[in-house]
């Protein structure tokens, strides 16, 4: 953790101004009510929340790559990433933002809150740090954790295995849960997700931990007893009222839904629905399709298969395929971090595998209902058949539509549904990508430690599987 940070610097400047002044009654005469002399310990919270959701929902990073790779979306033009040529700059930015704008800020905020004995803000800082480290581990595999963000003390951090990264994520969330005990205070105006509601942050901490544990449920790290303890706590997000999201309110970046940039640029035609998702939802009579996608002029829905060097000549030009639904491109569309739909479906999986008690079928329908609700539809208006794990994995794939890289995470873990390789893929990529390649900045600045990570994990390739995906 850095000893000095931006907020500390501001405090130092304020102090210096006070010490160098000797004018009589200066404080009384020159104090402006609009310029506070005390800095809130959670001043950085809104900044890091926005940075996190904007990056994992970037339409170049996610919309062209992860969302397209699980065939939720596709590209009828400019479709290199759809053919497994992702934008390397977007991948670099994911790495940079998670470390500098989320993890670093969270560590700074934790230190400030600790000095003020504000347990609530300390807990929130640990949740944000855990979210960022899990995102990095899921996307890349082995990543720096214990030596990360040490500044000049350790300029070239060693990489930790993904298992070690997950161990730290779980530890951070356990500590967060203990700190979020109702004491302390979170400024409502700084908290873009929960408006300062400590009890909801406690549910998010428990739910992120539950999701993380399910992600490693096939690995030696898994402990089913901890899952049941989380269920027994009553602190999981099982009601959409507790969903973690940012509701954007303006049309100006960075305060608008990241995907609204497509609309602002008049680029809706550059994205369309993936054929696999559209066909699955049509075949199951899923009413969410009318929200997920815009129909063609004849009222039908048509998706595009992944790939093609020239989609137009293959019959998939813009206008011949369904575009992303207007609700998901609106400036004020909610951008989710974690939803009750996701957690209920994970509970269904855990129950079906005997990890926890309860009705798998009941959790399954609760997950469907929660997804219907956040899409403006009535609970109970869709009742897909529950057929065990296959149906759960299918609905995890469907219900995480446009939720960052979570659909890619869940698909990699389950391999459900079976997806076909993109047409005309990048040479040498013979499977749907299962990770992002390491950033160019690491290759040039931290090459020795990166080489050790590659030696442990496998080639720095799109198709190398991360640790939890190997089991």
């Amino acid at each position: 953790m850095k000893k000095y940070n931006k907020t500390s610097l501001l405090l130092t400047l304020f102090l210096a101004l006070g010490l160098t002044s000797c004018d009589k009654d200066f404080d009384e005469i020159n104090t402006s009510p609009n310029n506070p002399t005390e800095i809130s310990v959670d001043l950085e919270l809104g900044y890091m929340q926005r940075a996190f959701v904007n990056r994992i929902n970037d339409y170049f990073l996610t919309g062209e790559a992860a969302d397209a790779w699980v065939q939720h979306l596709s590209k009828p033009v400019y479709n290199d990433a759809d053919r497994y040529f992702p934008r390397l700059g977007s991948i670099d930015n994911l790495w940079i933002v998670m470390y500098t704008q989320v993890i670093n800020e969270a560590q700074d905020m934790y230190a400030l809150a600790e000095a003020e004995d504000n347990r609530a803000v300390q807990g929130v800082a640990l949740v944000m740090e855990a979210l960022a480290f899990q995102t990095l581990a899921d996307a890349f595999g082995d990543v720096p954790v214990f030596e990360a963000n040490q500044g000049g003390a350790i300029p070239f951090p060693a990489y930790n295995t993904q298992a070690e990264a997950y161990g730290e994520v779980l530890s951070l969330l356990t500590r967060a849960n203990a700190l979020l005990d109702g004491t302390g205070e979170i400024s409502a105006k700084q908290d873009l997700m929960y408006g300062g509601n400590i009890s909801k942050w406690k549910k998010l901490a428990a739910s992120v931990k539950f999701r993380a544990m399910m992600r490693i449920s096939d690995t030696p790290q898994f402990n089913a007893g901890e899952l049941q303890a989380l269920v027994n706590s009553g602190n999981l997000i099982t009601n959409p009222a507790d969903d973690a999201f940012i509701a954007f309110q303006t049309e100006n970046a960075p305060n608008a839904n990241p995907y609204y940039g497509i609309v602002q640029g008049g680029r809706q035609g550059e994205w369309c629905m993936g054929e696999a998702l559209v066909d699955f939802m049509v075949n199951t009579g899923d009413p969410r399709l009318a929200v997920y996608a815009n129909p063609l002029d004849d009222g039908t829905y048509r998706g595009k298969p992944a790939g093609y060097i020239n989609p137009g000549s293959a019959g998939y030009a813009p206008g011949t395929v369904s575009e992303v639904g207007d609700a998901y491109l609106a400036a004020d569309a909610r951008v989710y971090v974690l939803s009750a739909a996701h957690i209920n479906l994970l509970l269904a999986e855990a129950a079906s595998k005997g990890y926890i008690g309860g009705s798998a079928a009941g959790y399954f329908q609760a997950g469907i209902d929660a997804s219907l609700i956040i899409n403006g539809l009535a609970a109970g208006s869709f009742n897909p058949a529950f057929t065990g794990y296959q149906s759960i994995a299918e609905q995890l794939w469907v219900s995480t539509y446009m939720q960052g890289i979570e659909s890619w995470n869940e698909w990699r873990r389950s391999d459900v549904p079976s997806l076909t390789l993109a047409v005309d893929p990048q040479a040498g990529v013979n499977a749907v990508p299962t990770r992002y390649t390491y950033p160019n900045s690491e290759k040039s600045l931290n090459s020795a430690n990166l080489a050790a990570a590659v030696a442990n994990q496998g080639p720095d390739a799109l198709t190398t599987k991360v640790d939890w995906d190997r089991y």
Side-chain angles (χ1 to χ4, degrees):
M1 187 181 301
K2 296 192 304 181
K3 293 183 181 295
Y4 298 98
N5 52 61
K6 292 183 289 296
T7 308
S8 300
L9 179 60
L10 286 172
L11 287 168
T12 302
L13 288 173
F14 284 130
L15 181 61
L17 286 172
L19 291 175
T20 55
S21 173
C22 57
D23 291 337
K24 184 177 181 181
D25 298 327
F26 179 87
D27 289 342
E28 294 180 12
I29 297 171
N30 293 282
T31 298
S32 168
N34 298 320
N35 292 294
T37 57
E38 294 185 7
I39 304 298
S40 170
V41 295
D42 54 14
L43 184 66
E44 297 162 290
L45 179 56
Y47 171 79
M48 75 177 79
Q49 287 174 327
R50 189 184 292 110
F52 179 79
V53 299
N54 282 350
R55 181 46 39 194
I56 63 171
N57 290 279
D58 176 75
Y59 53 77
F60 288 138
L61 175 76
T62 307
E64 287 190 342
D67 281 338
W69 294 344
V70 296
Q71 299 177 22
H72 281 180
L73 303 183
S74 193
K75 295 275 290 181
V77 292
Y78 309 127
N79 68 327
D80 284 351
D82 197 16
R83 297 172 42 235
Y84 314 144
F85 291 92
R87 296 178 190 249
L88 299 182
S90 295
I91 295 174
D92 286 5
N93 285 338
L94 173 65
W95 183 279
I96 292 167
V97 168
M98 288 301 119
Y99 278 114
T100 65
Q101 296 180 30
V102 184
I103 295 169
N104 184 61
E105 299 291 330
Q107 291 174 344
D108 284 353
M109 189 171 78
Y110 182 93
L112 288 169
E114 185 177 36
E116 296 293 328
D117 196 26
N118 190 325
R119 291 172 63 86
V121 173
Q122 286 179 263
V124 167
L126 295 181
V127 174
M128 293 303 303
E129 187 177 355
L131 282 167
F133 273 128
Q134 185 184 14
T135 298
L136 288 164
D138 288 342
F140 299 98
D142 293 2
V143 293
V145 177
F146 300 126
E147 293 187 358
N149 287 1
Q150 297 297 315
I154 306 178
F156 308 112
Y159 281 60
N160 296 98
T161 66
Q162 188 183 58
E164 290 170 335
Y166 257 75
E168 178 65 2
V169 167
L170 295 175
S171 175
L172 290 168
L173 294 167
T174 298
R175 291 168 55 201
N177 184 67
L179 288 163
L180 292 164
D181 58 5
T183 61
E185 185 175 324
I186 307 165
S187 302
K189 63 182 180 181
Q190 303 295 346
D191 182 5
L192 304 181
M193 291 199 303
Y194 284 138
N197 189 313
I198 297 174
S199 65
K200 291 193 175 185
W201 273 102
K202 193 174 184 72
K203 289 188 175 184
L204 180 59
S207 300
V208 173
K209 185 174 182 180
F210 191 91
R211 181 185 66 181
M213 291 180 68
M214 287 301 295
R215 192 147 297 157
I216 60 172
S217 59
D218 291 331
T219 76
Q221 281 184 282
F222 179 60
N223 183 338
E226 291 192 50
L227 282 183
Q228 186 63 61
L230 288 170
V231 174
N232 295 344
S233 74
N235 281 322
L236 294 179
I237 297 174
T238 56
N239 187 314
D242 296 323
D243 285 352
F245 60 83
I246 290 182
F248 289 98
Q249 298 176 344
T250 75
E251 296 185 356
N252 301 313
N255 300 315
N257 164 24
Y259 277 87
Y260 181 66
I262 295 173
V263 178
Q264 283 186 311
R267 306 176 67 175
Q268 296 97 311
E270 295 179 19
W271 275 263
C272 68
M273 298 298 295
E275 182 181 68
L277 182 62
V278 169
D279 288 356
F280 182 86
M281 297 183 80
V282 168
N283 291 337
T284 55
D286 195 325
R288 290 171 291 183
L289 180 58
V291 185
Y292 286 9
N294 290 337
L296 299 176
D297 291 342
D298 62 2
T300 63
Y301 295 90
R302 182 180 186 237
K304 172 189 165 292
Y308 291 104
I309 292 176
N310 190 338
S313 64
Y316 298 102
T320 69
V321 283
S322 296
E323 294 179 359
V324 176
D326 292 340
Y328 277 88
L329 299 183
D332 60 353
R334 294 178 175 182
V335 180
Y336 282 82
V337 174
L338 191 56
S339 71
H342 197 163
I343 293 299
N344 276 303
L345 288 168
L346 290 177
L347 285 164
E349 179 186 346
S352 72
K353 293 180 176 179
Y355 300 152
I356 63 171
S359 167
Y363 286 131
F364 176 77
Q365 187 58 48
I368 302 301
D369 287 344
S371 181
L372 291 166
I373 289 169
I374 67 175
N375 282 286
L377 303 169
S381 59
F382 179 51
N383 304 99
F386 175 68
T387 59
Y389 178 67
Q390 176 76 18
S391 58
I392 296 168
E394 289 170 347
Q395 289 303 320
L396 277 168
W397 176 66
V398 174
S399 65
T400 50
Y401 175 72
M402 299 289 277
Q403 290 187 20
I405 64 174
E406 278 307 300
S407 54
W408 187 39
N409 290 335
E410 292 296 349
W411 177 81
R412 287 184 289 161
R413 187 170 68 89
S414 68
D415 295 316
V416 175
S418 178
L419 299 175
T420 59
L421 189 69
V423 180
D424 303 322
Q426 178 185 166
V429 181
N430 56 5
V432 176
T434 49
R435 64 181 289 274
Y436 288 134
T437 52
Y438 287 117
N440 286 327
S441 56
E442 284 293 286
K443 295 173 184 177
S444 60
L445 300 175
N446 197 17
S447 58
N449 287 314
L450 176 60
V454 170
N456 172 68
Q457 179 170 268
D460 184 22
L462 293 173
T463 53
T464 295
K465 292 190 174 186
V466 299
D467 185 64
W468 50 251
D469 194 21
R470 294 191 178 105
Y471 292 87

